[in-house]
Amino acid sequence: MDHRVPPDCIISVPVRKCARGERWGMTERSGSGRREGSVLVASERESSVDSRVDVGILVAYAPGTDPDQLRSFAARAAEDAVDELASVTDVTWRFSLEDATKLADHDRRRPSEFLDRATHRMIEGPYDLVVVVTDVTLESRSGKFVPGLASPLSRVAVVSTRDLRTAPRDEPQRALDDESVRWNTATLLLHLVGHVLGARHRDADGGVMEPFRFVPDRRSVPPIDADVGARLRRIAGEIPATETRSRGALERLIFHLRSAVRNPGQILTVLVSSRAPLLPLSLPKLSTAAVAPTLVIVFSAESWDVGFHMSNATAGLFGIASVIAAAFYLLFAQNLSFPRKRHEIVTEHTALVNVTVFLVLALSMLGLFALVWIVMLMIELIVFPPNLMSDWPSLEDPAVGIVDLVRTAAFISTIGVLSGALGGGLEDRAIVSHLTLFLDRP
């Protein structure tokens, strides 16, 4: 049962009734599990199906910003977008506004920097999706400033009012209550929620899922076209996701594995677009810690002796073990799983995020292995004088073929991968989620 709150507890957003349902300011539904203080700011009731999607709105503001003004702005954006969402999906949408959080500075931020708090609140809420509204600049993985980005896998979207308020040169910055800012924000919010539910730009035939651009004279939210609407209706009907109350590490591991088996397509989509094997090229500290010691080891006769007399199967297993061990070490040593604060409840999409992060790390370590292996093989083939290894007096078997060189380079590379993970690590623990989990443009 819903409980009304006194008028002074309702956020100052215009509330109106519409033909399909109603919207109101209120505390959370009894038994929802959300903490006291979160306020329902938008709801659309549909009678066609008995389904509901709960969306948490987190506000993160820079020093000097009026948090109440930004919260009211975020609430109004939800109000403006909820009608179209409900009419297209035939699902009740509820947007709940959380307490605002003050940021440390005005510096630009990656969307992944909000991910930990978003997943934490998603579980505590509980919410099916989380939208973060902030007034700092948002940076995509390609280094561009964008008004918002979405992560379909983690079900998190981030909206930046800074970009939306930026006016053309020689014009004053747009006010937060400007009508163009209002309706473009609502359009962007709807657009990003569409991405979270799996809609893509190429699926759209006009409407809100076209690549977002700021339209100064926009005064309403564009419709969602029929094809995209059918997809959103199907996905929205599958929410909320499966969850479990884990009682130990083994149970959590089993739940993660089952979630991955049930949703291989979502994970594969992220892995393909992540270009994870190239990630070491963006992490100079990791790559340096891997390559530097191997440049010494490759000139050691002892490493030649081990590599020449190691079987191909042993070399392969050693390489696989080093990649997996390095990935696990980075995952736990740098606390890369979500949410970082331990919870008894684990949701399926959070499990998918964690499985994807681990697989991205594993593919990154595989890419690091390949990088070191290529360097080692080039040294053996190009730098070493002819017959240097075969004529070395301490080696028992003077016959050295190309297979021996490849195997020796692989053996040295396994050491490089482990030293890279242990000695270098990730310069920024948010780099993996930044480069893999969020789309690169709104």
Side-chain angles (χ1 to χ4, degrees):
M1 180 177 179
D2 295 328
H3 301 281
R4 306 270 178 179
V5 297
D8 59 347
C9 294
I10 299 177
I11 193 164
S12 57
V13 176
V15 178
R16 71 188 192 286
K17 292 188 178 182
C18 62
R20 295 189 198 90
E22 57 181 351
R23 284 168 269 163
W24 61 94
M26 53 174 290
T27 54
E28 304 308 323
R29 184 177 55 190
S30 175
S32 67
R34 297 193 186 97
R35 68 181 182 183
E36 184 179 356
S38 60
V39 178
L40 185 68
V41 296
S43 179
E44 180 69 24
R45 295 184 177 272
E46 287 287 344
S47 59
S48 54
V49 292
D50 186 21
S51 298
R52 192 182 77 197
V53 178
D54 288 300
V55 183
I57 304 177
L58 310 185
V59 173
Y61 64 98
T65 299
D66 181 359
D68 292 333
Q69 184 184 24
L70 192 58
R71 292 181 82 235
S72 297
F73 176 80
R76 185 174 60 186
E79 290 274 346
D80 293 334
V82 69
D83 283 344
E84 184 66 21
L85 276 172
S87 64
V88 168
T89 60
D90 281 343
V91 170
T92 295
W93 287 79
R94 293 160 59 100
F95 288 80
S96 301
L97 190 64
E98 292 284 330
D99 294 334
T101 299
K102 185 177 181 180
L103 300 174
D105 49 52
H106 294 81
D107 292 349
R108 63 189 181 188
R109 280 170 170 76
R110 304 163 177 169
S112 56
E113 295 180 53
F114 301 99
L115 190 56
D116 185 51
R117 183 169 183 266
T119 53
H120 171 70
R121 287 301 306 132
M122 190 179 294
I123 293 177
E124 282 197 341
Y127 297 118
D128 305 307
L129 285 72
V130 168
V131 176
V132 179
V133 179
T134 183
D135 61 339
V136 297
T137 301
L138 199 63
E139 182 182 16
S140 70
R141 64 173 178 244
S142 60
K144 297 179 180 179
F145 297 155
V146 292
L149 290 172
S151 171
L153 190 66
S154 59
R155 293 184 183 172
V156 173
V158 184
V159 176
S160 169
T161 62
R162 175 65 64 88
D163 188 271
L164 293 165
R165 295 179 61 191
T166 301
R169 185 174 298 181
D170 300 329
E171 293 184 17
Q173 187 182 48
R174 301 184 183 97
L176 203 58
D177 58 359
D178 187 289
E179 284 295 294
S180 64
V181 175
R182 170 186 176 178
W183 290 107
N184 277 278
T185 301
T187 299
L188 176 62
L189 175 60
L190 185 58
H191 180 91
L192 294 178
V193 170
H195 278 317
V196 168
L197 294 180
R200 299 166 294 184
H201 292 154
R202 64 174 179 266
D203 297 330
D205 184 17
V208 76
M209 289 314 300
E210 289 284 340
F212 176 80
R213 62 184 181 88
F214 191 96
V215 180
D217 59 352
R218 195 191 303 274
R219 294 298 181 269
S220 63
V221 175
I224 298 176
D225 68 78
D227 291 340
V228 173
R231 178 184 179 88
L232 297 187
R233 189 177 301 111
R234 177 178 59 82
I235 300 298
E238 298 173 359
I239 295 175
T242 305
E243 62 182 39
T244 184
R245 186 177 295 274
S246 65
R247 295 179 175 83
L250 180 59
E251 187 175 349
R252 293 172 70 93
L253 176 61
I254 293 174
F255 181 75
H256 278 67
L257 293 176
R258 286 178 177 173
S259 299
V261 171
R262 285 194 295 264
N263 303 274
Q266 295 185 48
I267 296 176
L268 185 60
T269 299
V270 175
L271 294 180
V272 170
S273 62
S274 68
R275 297 181 293 179
L278 301 179
L279 186 60
L281 299 179
S282 303
L283 300 170
K285 186 177 178 182
L286 174 73
S287 300
T288 301
V291 174
T294 59
L295 293 177
V296 177
I297 296 174
V298 73
F299 290 97
S300 168
E302 286 78 6
S303 66
W304 305 344
D305 202 2
V306 173
F308 293 162
H309 295 92
M310 178 184 291
S311 68
N312 293 334
T314 301
L317 290 175
F318 190 25
I320 294 173
S322 67
V323 167
I324 295 176
F328 268 116
Y329 174 79
L330 292 175
L331 180 68
F332 292 106
Q334 300 201 242
N335 197 15
L336 300 179
S337 59
F338 292 95
R340 294 190 174 97
K341 184 178 179 180
R342 180 70 176 256
H343 289 271
E344 290 185 1
I345 296 177
V346 183
T347 61
E348 185 173 71
H349 58 272
T350 303
L352 293 178
V353 170
N354 291 332
V355 171
T356 302
V357 168
F358 170 73
L359 293 178
V360 167
L361 288 173
L363 290 176
S364 301
M365 294 304 99
L366 185 62
L368 183 63
F369 178 92
L371 173 65
V372 179
W373 178 79
I374 290 173
V375 173
M376 297 302 103
L377 190 60
M378 291 300 100
I379 291 176
E380 292 174 347
L381 295 175
I382 299 174
V383 178
F384 283 3
N387 302 321
L388 173 66
M389 292 182 170
S390 59
D391 294 340
W392 198 260
S394 64
L395 298 181
E396 299 178 3
D397 188 355
V400 178
I402 186 63
V403 175
D404 299 306
L405 297 179
V406 169
R407 187 172 58 248
T408 301
F411 163 67
I412 298 174
S413 299
T414 60
I415 300 174
V417 168
L418 293 174
S419 65
L422 294 171
L426 305 180
E427 291 95 319
D428 182 357
R429 70 181 187 180
I431 188 68
V432 173
S433 55
H434 174 63
L435 294 176
T436 60
L437 296 182
F438 281 86
L439 303 177
D440 195 41
R441 60 173 181 164

